[in-house]
């Protein structure tokens, strides 16, 4: 069944169902429910999947024949650098850009990093073709976004200048939160909160509970545009 093969692909790519559904603009739970109940998947959804995940072999997904990946190398994901992009419909990919990679300890947090702008000295640069415009990159720590992100992965981000008005609900963000005078840096999905003046921070790791915080406590915000993992 297509649903079984799609489940295998999602597991191989180490993508959560939430992230997968979000990437193809599907409603939350639609793919996970189809896989769980072994139901058919509509042609419009399949078309979107093939558009977003160009490495997925359509013949294999639909018929089970051939290899899962178009490059005919099912071990590629285990041996190479994995790069995931999180593009909005309004994004324009850039053929080539030098993205500064920062050491958070050296720049003393993302609030001073964003404030200093080009004055901050990066530890290195990353060059990946055909990515959306990125302002910088940092290493992440912690396991709240596991398995989508692991400690030591790199997130590439685009700074958000107007925090109050420019949040895209459901997207992944790099945040700096004022925690009783100390800077708490994290990567989370941001969703609407039922409480006025607050936002809901959602982890990928099922063992981390969702958390509502006051929006005014967010001192710096950046939209995650891509992630890099070395295997």
């Amino acid at each position: 069944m297509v649903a079984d093969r799609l489940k295998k692909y999602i597991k191989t790519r180490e993508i959560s169902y939430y992230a997968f559904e979000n990437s193809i603009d599907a409603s939350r739970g639609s793919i996970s429910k189809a896989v769980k109940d072994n139901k058919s998947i509509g042609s419009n959804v399949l078309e979107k999947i093939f558009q977003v995940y160009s490495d997925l072999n359509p013949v294999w997904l639909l018929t089970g024949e051939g290899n899962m990946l178009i490059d005919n190398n099912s071990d590629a994901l285990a041996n190479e650098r994995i790069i995931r992009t999180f593009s909005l419909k309004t994004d324009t990919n850039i053929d080539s850009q030098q993205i500064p990679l920062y050491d958070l300890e050296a720049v003393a947090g993302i609030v001073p990093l964003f404030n200093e702008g080009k004055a901050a000295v990066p530890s290195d640069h990353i060059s990946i073709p055909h990515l959306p415009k990125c302002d910088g990159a940092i290493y992440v720590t912690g396991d709240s976004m596991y398995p989508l992100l692991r400690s030591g992965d790199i997130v590439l981000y685009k700074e958000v200048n107007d925090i109050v008005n420019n949040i895209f609900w459901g997207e992944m963000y790099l945040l700096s939160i004022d925690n009783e005078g100390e800077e708490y840096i994290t990567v989370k999905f941001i969703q609407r909160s039922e409480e006025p003046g607050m936002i809901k921070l959602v982890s990928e790791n099922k063992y981390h509970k969702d958390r509502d915080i006051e929006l005014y406590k967010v001192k710096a915000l950046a939209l995650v545009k891509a992630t890099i993992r070395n295997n």
Side-chain angles (χ1 to χ4, degrees), residues 116-140:
E116 291 178 17
K118 294 182 179 180
V121 179
S123 60
D124 209 333
H125 286 82
I126 298 172
S127 180
I128 302 173
H130 309 301
L131 284 184
K133 177 68 174 69
C134 297
D135 293 320
I138 64 166
Y139 290 96
V140 297

Side-chain angles (χ1 to χ4, degrees), residues 102 107 112-122:
Y102 296 103
V107 298
L113 172 61
F114 288 7
N115 290 337
E116 291 178 17
K118 294 182 179 180
V121 179

Side-chain angles (χ1 to χ4, degrees), residues 160-176:
V160 177
N161 295 319
D162 187 349
I163 296 176
V164 175
N165 298 309
N166 286 341
I167 293 178
F168 294 96
W169 305 110
E171 297 294 332
M172 189 192 306
Y173 285 89
L174 169 68
L175 306 96
S176 173

Side-chain angles (χ1 to χ4, degrees), residues 20-173:
F20 187 83
E21 291 158 354
N22 193 46
S23 69
I24 62 171
D25 296 327
S27 59
R28 186 168 188 178
S30 58
I31 299 299
S32 60
K33 183 173 177 56
V35 169
K36 180 180 179 181
D37 298 339
N38 205 18
K39 292 184 177 180
S40 62
I41 298 174
S43 58
N44 58 329
V45 175
L46 290 172
E47 182 179 356
K48 185 63 176 180
I49 290 173
F50 295 139
Q51 288 176 355
V52 175
Y53 297 94
S54 57
D55 65 331
L56 176 59
N57 185 350
V59 175
W60 174 84
L61 183 63
L62 297 176
T63 68
E65 298 179 359
N67 295 302
M68 178 193 300
L69 304 179
I70 288 179
D71 64 0
N72 294 326
N73 183 3
S74 60
D75 295 326
L77 293 176
N79 298 320
E80 298 181 356
R81 175 178 292 174
I82 299 175
I83 301 171
R84 298 189 181 95
T85 60
F86 302 85
S87 301
L88 299 175
K89 293 181 179 179
T90 55
D91 279 333
T92 300
N93 289 347
I94 299 175
D95 291 337
S96 179
Q97 60 180 314
Q98 291 288 320
I99 304 169
L101 175 63
Y102 296 103
D103 180 346
L104 281 184
E105 291 186 2
V107 298
I110 66 174
V111 171
L113 172 61
F114 288 7
N115 290 337
E116 291 178 17
K118 294 182 179 180
V121 179
S123 60
D124 209 333
H125 286 82
I126 298 172
S127 180
I128 302 173
H130 309 301
L131 284 184
K133 177 68 174 69
C134 297
D135 293 320
I138 64 166
Y139 290 96
V140 297
T141 59
D143 64 350
S144 67
M145 296 300 286
Y146 181 84
L148 189 60
L149 285 175
R150 295 175 182 170
S151 184
D153 289 353
I154 297 173
V155 294
L156 292 75
Y157 61 82
K158 183 76 173 66
E159 296 176 25
V160 177
N161 295 319
D162 187 349
I163 296 176
V164 175
N165 298 309
N166 286 341
I167 293 178
F168 294 96
W169 305 110
E171 297 294 332
M172 189 192 306
Y173 285 89

